[in-house]
Amino acid sequence: MRRRHTTTRLLAIAALALPLTLSAAPAVATPSTPARQLTDVIPVPVDTRPDARAAFRLSPLTVIRTAPGSSAAWQVGRQLADTLRPATGYPLPVLPVPSTPLPEIALVLGEADHRVGQEGYQLDVTRRGVTIRATTPAGLFAGTQTLRQLLPADIEAPTRQRTTWTIPGGRIIDYPRFAYRGAMLDLARHFHTVDEITAYVDLISQYKINYLHLHLTDDQGWRIQIDSWPRLTTVGGGPGTGVDGVGPGYLTKADYQAVVAYAAARHVTIVPEIDMPGHTNAAQSTYPELNCDGVAPPPRTDIAVGYSSLCINDELTYRFVEDVIRELAAITPGPYLHIGGDEAHATTDEDYRTFMNRVLPLVSKYGKRASGWNEIAQADPPADAVAQFWGTGTTNADLVDAVTRGTKVIMSPANKSYLDMKYDATTRLGLRWAGLIEVSDAYGWDPATRVTGVGESAVLGVEAPLWSETLRSLDDIEYMAFPRLPAIAELGWSTTTSHDWESFRTRLGEQAPRWRLQQVNFYPSPQVPWI
Ligand code: ACM
């Protein structure tokens, strides 16, 4: 959690006892950036009504007031205080009370415009303060992320800044286009630590991403503890595993649960993936009995795909798969469990269907909703299953058939949303099999018209996968994700009528000072007017 700036947590009582002289301390009026507007936010809000006479300034007396009786709302308030205290130097006590006489940022559950639904919020800025109203704590959290971007960029500084903390006046009513707005990290090709994953959660949740998919197993490594098959991690995730043999490591169950809890506190749900029946060499090289001939293949650290397959007609395979699904479901509070299913080139079509039609019901048996790469549409997924489209084309007959039977789709077209593709021919990191993806390419598509026959009502949302063959560090992750991740986030949240490249690239450019202060290692695309 390297990027989280620590701050002294002041007790509410201490703040209320602040000497009055503090309120007389003048704010120094040297704004470092131009005045913000209600639309200067990524993802761009649905409905904004500016009121030029109603701007609000944070001051040493400002309090954060949260819905009485809601510990979740109080938690959102505390996180907001943690975000705003270092740069302002203000105490910003968090008070779960019905009203105060002080200037306030109020987080209210209920009373919002009905359009906000379950995840949206209404944000009102008047001279007296800011009120964020939402149906759920997730909506309050989304509203606080907007508020953060409405403040001057210096708000992200780790130390006290002498800035006028003005928030533009007016009303925002905002809610997501799609329920699922995801990012994915690949822990298999190179392991990422708990600190790296939680740092990524901090970054993506600023842009209202609400799912983080963890690709936990692949040919090169197994990264999640499974008690009934203990060598999966100690051998399959042990020394020498990962691409080029330099990405070892695994999450213990306690680590995984810590990630789940950290993400949940930022209204991000973890989606774990066990890739099968292909992409399984790490398991099969660890346990010989998982191979049809009983012989363990050597571990692999290259980046080839499509050569491994579990043994489809062996009952032991299903005992293994059920053990893994049962143990993983037990530590996963979120609704989805991803079973991979991509690039099973070493499995015949008939065996693939046999395998999936046995494994899909196992996910339901342990109380989870199955998701998988779009190949699962070749089997008979249950109506509540979710297929993740990763193709580079615009047609897919199996997927359209599954959609007709009720399957919902997460859109991750590899030539638009894959964050591991190079930006241009000179990008040091990344691959290029799906093409080069500049920022305008990542932004320039519509999830509801990408695949013929998969329209708005069939699309659950979008996801930006980041595969780790070439990545080593959090700096590498950030360089590939920023600035394309915010583009995918806007496609997932904002309306089609607000989709506008000129507006987006201007707003993206305004994010740069925030990223510099957060020490985000972003790609300075020549397409963007960085400030
Ligand atoms: C994938 O990129 N093989 C899902």
Side-chain angles (χ1 to χ4, degrees):
M1 297 162 218
R2 145 188 146 205
R3 296 282 151 66
R4 308 206 63 245
H5 307 301
T6 53
T7 183
T8 313
R9 206 165 270 150
L10 296 174
L11 293 172
I13 192 75
L16 286 176
L18 275 177
L20 270 177
T21 48
L22 198 49
S23 68
V28 178
T30 49
S32 56
T33 49
R36 316 271 315 142
Q37 300 187 12
L38 293 180
T39 46
D40 291 343
V41 175
I42 295 177
V44 70
V46 174
D47 188 0
T48 53
R49 303 282 155 96
D51 179 351
R53 295 157 308 161
F56 174 67
R57 264 190 194 183
L58 297 185
S59 78
L61 282 189
T62 305
V63 302
I64 297 176
R65 185 170 67 76
T66 66
S70 171
S71 61
W74 189 71
Q75 161 128 302
V76 175
R78 272 190 33 183
Q79 288 167 325
L80 179 64
D82 284 346
T83 303
L84 305 183
R85 280 175 186 148
T88 61
Y90 301 156
L92 298 166
V94 184
L95 310 174
V97 296
S99 67
T100 75
L102 296 166
E104 63 180 24
I105 300 170
L107 306 182
V108 177
L109 282 173
E111 303 170 23
D113 185 281
H114 72 277
R115 285 176 289 166
V116 307
Q118 290 302 299
E119 280 194 275
Y121 62 91
Q122 173 178 331
L123 186 152
D124 287 283
V125 183
T126 68
R127 277 192 216 170
R128 200 185 153 245
V130 177
T131 305
I132 301 175
R133 297 180 175 88
T135 315
T136 63
L140 291 179
F141 183 81
T144 61
Q145 299 313 303
T146 294
L147 176 61
R148 189 170 169 182
Q149 291 189 44
L150 292 175
L151 281 157
D154 280 352
I155 198 66
E156 302 298 337
T159 56
R160 188 165 173 203
Q161 307 295 303
R162 298 207 162 266
T163 298
T164 308
W165 303 109
T166 305
I167 301 159
R171 169 170 291 179
I172 295 177
I173 292 172
D174 197 18
Y175 47 90
R177 178 181 177 193
F178 295 113
Y180 187 107
R181 303 172 305 281
M184 188 205 86
L185 285 179
D186 169 13
L187 274 59
R189 274 54 175 270
H190 281 97
F191 180 63
H192 305 307
T193 63
V194 170
D195 283 357
E196 290 169 336
I197 300 167
T198 54
Y200 200 54
V201 168
D202 284 342
L203 294 175
I204 66 177
S205 61
Q206 290 185 61
Y207 297 99
K208 304 185 175 72
I209 295 287
N210 63 346
Y211 285 90
L212 178 61
H213 167 184
L214 298 178
H215 183 76
L216 292 167
T217 69
D218 213 300
D219 290 319
Q220 300 87 345
W222 185 285
R223 310 300 183 194
I224 181 70
Q225 176 185 352
I226 301 294
D227 296 325
S228 51
W229 299 76
R231 297 203 308 277
L232 287 172
T233 42
T234 54
V235 177
T241 64
V243 169
D244 299 335
V246 293
Y250 61 89
L251 298 176
T252 64
K253 286 187 174 178
D255 289 338
Y256 176 82
Q257 288 173 297
V259 167
V260 164
Y262 188 93
R266 284 138 191 92
H267 301 277
V268 172
T269 300
I270 298 296
V271 179
E273 178 188 349
I274 304 295
D275 205 348
M276 51 192 159
H279 289 279
T280 47
N281 194 69
Q284 291 184 279
S285 66
T286 300
Y287 284 102
E289 59 268 42
L290 293 179
N291 298 273
C292 285
D293 61 4
V295 177
R300 293 275 294 253
T301 59
D302 58 291
I303 67 169
V305 296
Y307 55 83
S308 54
S309 176
L310 291 172
C311 188
I312 305 303
N313 296 307
D314 184 345
E315 282 309 304
L316 182 69
T317 293
Y318 300 95
R319 218 171 76 213
F320 166 73
V321 169
E322 183 161 356
D323 285 342
V324 171
I325 290 175
R326 184 186 65 250
E327 290 195 34
L328 192 54
I331 53 173
T332 300
Y336 299 109
L337 197 151
H338 199 300
I339 54 172
D342 59 319
E343 298 178 304
H345 306 318
T347 316
T348 66
D349 289 352
E350 189 190 341
D351 278 357
Y352 184 85
R353 287 175 50 80
T354 300
F355 178 84
M356 279 299 168
N357 287 340
R358 282 195 67 172
V359 170
L360 284 161
L362 288 176
V363 178
S364 311
K365 177 176 173 183
Y366 291 100
K368 297 298 165 191
R369 201 172 159 185
S371 54
W373 299 105
N374 56 244
E375 286 94 325
I376 66 164
Q378 292 158 23
D380 307 305
D384 74 344
V386 174
Q388 184 169 6
F389 176 76
W390 64 280
T392 55
T394 56
T395 58
N396 186 312
D398 290 328
L399 188 61
V400 172
D401 276 356
V403 161
T404 310
R405 298 190 303 270
T407 297
K408 295 279 189 255
V409 179
I410 294 168
M411 283 291 169
S412 300
N415 51 348
K416 300 286 180 187
S417 72
Y418 268 32
L419 301 178
D420 58 310
M421 291 300 117
K422 292 177 183 290
Y423 293 96
D424 67 19
T426 70
T427 309
R428 179 179 63 86
L429 300 167
L431 303 175
R432 57 185 304 168
W433 62 263
L436 302 171
I437 304 181
E438 249 295 357
V439 184
S440 61
D441 304 309
Y443 186 71
W445 61 287
D446 179 357
T449 60
R450 184 70 197 159
V451 178
T452 307
V454 183
E456 182 99 15
S457 64
V459 175
L460 186 64
V462 294
E463 184 178 296
L466 179 48
W467 302 95
S468 290
E469 284 93 336
T470 66
L471 310 185
R472 295 289 189 274
S473 63
L474 183 58
D475 276 350
D476 289 352
I477 291 172
E478 290 172 348
Y479 190 79
M480 300 311 276
F482 288 86
R484 292 179 293 195
L485 188 278
I488 304 300
E490 179 148 316
L491 294 182
W493 181 281
S494 304
T495 62
T496 46
T497 49
S498 64
H499 189 88
D500 181 71
W501 166 246
E502 285 303 322
S503 158
F504 179 70
R505 73 188 194 105
T506 303
R507 286 179 286 114
L508 201 53
E510 292 167 358
Q511 298 290 309
R514 293 167 200 271
W515 295 341
R516 290 185 199 108
L517 289 166
Q518 294 174 353
Q519 299 169 41
V520 174
N521 180 37
F522 65 97
Y523 160 64
S525 167
Q527 296 186 330
V528 176
W530 302 107
I531 62 173

